[in-house]
Amino acid sequence: MSDLLERLRGRGWRMTSQRRVVAEVLAGDHVHLTADEVHGRAAQRLPEISRATVYNTLGELVSLGEVLEVSTDGRAKRYDPNAHQPHQHLVCSQCGTIRDVHPVGDPLDDLPAGERFGFTLAGAEVTYRGLCPACTQNPA
Amino acid sequence: MSDLLERLRGRGWRMTSQRRVVAEVLAGDHVHLTADEVHGRAAQRLPEISRATVYNTLGELVSLGEVLEVSTDGRAKRYDPNAHQPHQHLVCSQCGTIRDVHPVGDPLDDLPAGERFGFTLAGAEVTYRGLCPACTQNPA
DNA sequence: ATGGTTGCAAATTGTTTGCAACTTG
DNA sequence: CAAGTTGCAAACAATTTGCAACCAT
């Protein structure tokens, strides 16, 4: 969790107030926020933080492998602080919220040799789609 | 292949030259093109076609269920003409090539009830990642 | 002090929309 | 002929970038 801060410092990441706030926003909540939502929450604590800095910081966290970028179709990318544990995503088709889920079994087992076309497989991502409880009760 | 055109006409889709060209571009090649690439290829045959029309047409084909929208990267959406048969995607992490694959079993079966969080599930997409044969022999 | 970092605003990229002119059935 | 379509340009949304001021180390 907040050894995220430790880890970053340990990697020689220069710690500024804006970077700390961004990291804290991500670590503090297990939802998957858009860049703009991260900016909004960060700005509650540090009103002068700019969107550009949030974007830059998120981009760095992603390339450091500390945060995952989740691109749900079309809409804004969301950022997943849970990069250390393998998991899949359950996405609401209506409002776009994302939950982490842990399916049983390895998706790679479902791809027969004859369907691998000579690829060296590294992994698989599964996106489950449906309506969240709120949107199920209140469809578009 | 181009019973796509037939099907669309059968649905009462008003056939114009620009719509025909877009549908032909999609049906003619089994790669997954971006909207801009579709526009580029369509414009080779029909130079005056506008981007807006291509976007509108693609959007209609998607909502008619004749074409699938695939967001592979955070970048531009790609359009998959193979909507009539369920399939998943195998993406090369290095060069970005996409192949259609057909895994066995239903991914939904791998998500236990306790991991569904009250969602009404509609389906699942699987993206297999790895290196294609060419990139396996010639890694970055 | 010095080089990485920030903020601003403007540039980019991808996509949608308003509306008048134009086709298709 | 009527209603659906097109093209243009401008609006939009998400994200990136150039550059001068700034501040962790």
Side-chain angles (χ1 to χ4, degrees):
Chain A
M1 343 251 103
S2 59
D3 40 13
L4 171 61
L5 276 293
E6 308 273 305
R7 238 175 301 145
L8 292 171
R9 217 186 303 263
R11 292 207 194 186
W13 214 48
R14 190 177 285 202
M15 191 54 63
T16 65
S17 43
Q18 23 287 81
R19 286 181 167 187
R20 184 180 354 265
V21 168
V22 169
E24 284 172 358
V25 165
L26 286 173
D29 220 332
H30 282 211
V31 294
H32 301 66
L33 303 167
T34 62
D36 208 56
E37 288 165 345
V38 172
H39 174 254
R41 298 199 182 196
Q44 289 176 5
R45 294 217 205 168
L46 189 68
E48 303 313 321
I49 193 172
S50 76
R51 260 176 257 278
T53 296
V54 171
Y55 275 108
N56 290 338
T57 303
L58 289 172
E60 284 161 29
L61 290 172
V62 168
S63 46
L64 286 171
E66 295 290 352
V67 161
L68 296 176
E69 210 172 61
V70 183
S71 71
T72 75
D73 36 35
R75 309 175 185 238
K77 293 178 209 161
R78 288 173 181 272
Y79 293 87
D80 180 350
N82 186 17
H84 52 291
Q85 190 190 25
H87 62 278
Q88 306 300 341
H89 291 127
L90 176 50
V91 180
C92 177
S93 315
Q94 189 170 310
C95 69
T97 34
I98 305 178
R99 284 207 84 111
D100 287 357
V101 291
H102 301 86
V104 300
D106 185 345
L108 290 184
D109 294 341
D110 292 338
L111 197 63
E115 285 283 322
R116 298 189 177 202
F117 301 103
F119 275 62
T120 306
L121 290 186
E125 295 157 26
V126 185
T127 305
Y128 297 93
R129 299 201 180 271
L131 292 181
C132 71
C135 291
T136 296
Q137 288 186 304
N138 198 355
Chain B
M1 354 219 94
S2 53
D3 42 10
L4 171 60
L5 276 293
E6 310 270 306
R7 239 176 301 144
L8 293 172
R9 218 185 305 262
R11 291 209 194 186
W13 214 48
R14 189 177 285 201
M15 190 53 64
T16 66
S17 45
Q18 21 288 81
R19 287 181 167 189
R20 183 180 354 266
V21 168
V22 168
E24 284 173 357
V25 165
L26 286 173
D29 220 332
H30 278 212
V31 294
H32 303 66
L33 303 168
T34 63
D36 210 56
E37 288 166 345
V38 172
H39 174 253
R41 298 198 182 195
Q44 289 177 4
R45 294 217 206 167
L46 189 67
E48 321 78 41
I49 193 171
S50 76
R51 258 175 257 277
T53 296
V54 171
Y55 275 107
N56 289 337
T57 304
L58 289 172
E60 285 163 27
L61 289 172
V62 168
S63 48
L64 285 171
E66 294 291 351
V67 162
L68 295 177
E69 215 170 59
V70 183
S71 67
T72 45
D73 39 22
R75 277 286 166 229
K77 294 176 206 162
R78 290 175 179 272
Y79 293 87
D80 180 350
N82 187 18
H84 52 292
Q85 193 189 20
H87 64 278
Q88 307 299 342
H89 291 127
L90 175 52
V91 180
C92 178
S93 314
Q94 189 169 311
C95 70
T97 319
I98 306 177
R99 288 205 82 113
D100 288 356
V101 291
H102 303 86
V104 300
D106 185 346
L108 290 184
D109 293 341
D110 293 338
L111 196 63
E115 285 283 322
R116 299 189 177 200
F117 301 103
F119 275 62
T120 306
L121 289 186
E125 295 155 26
V126 186
T127 304
Y128 297 93
R129 300 201 181 270
L131 292 181
C132 70
C135 292
T136 297
Q137 287 186 304
N138 197 357

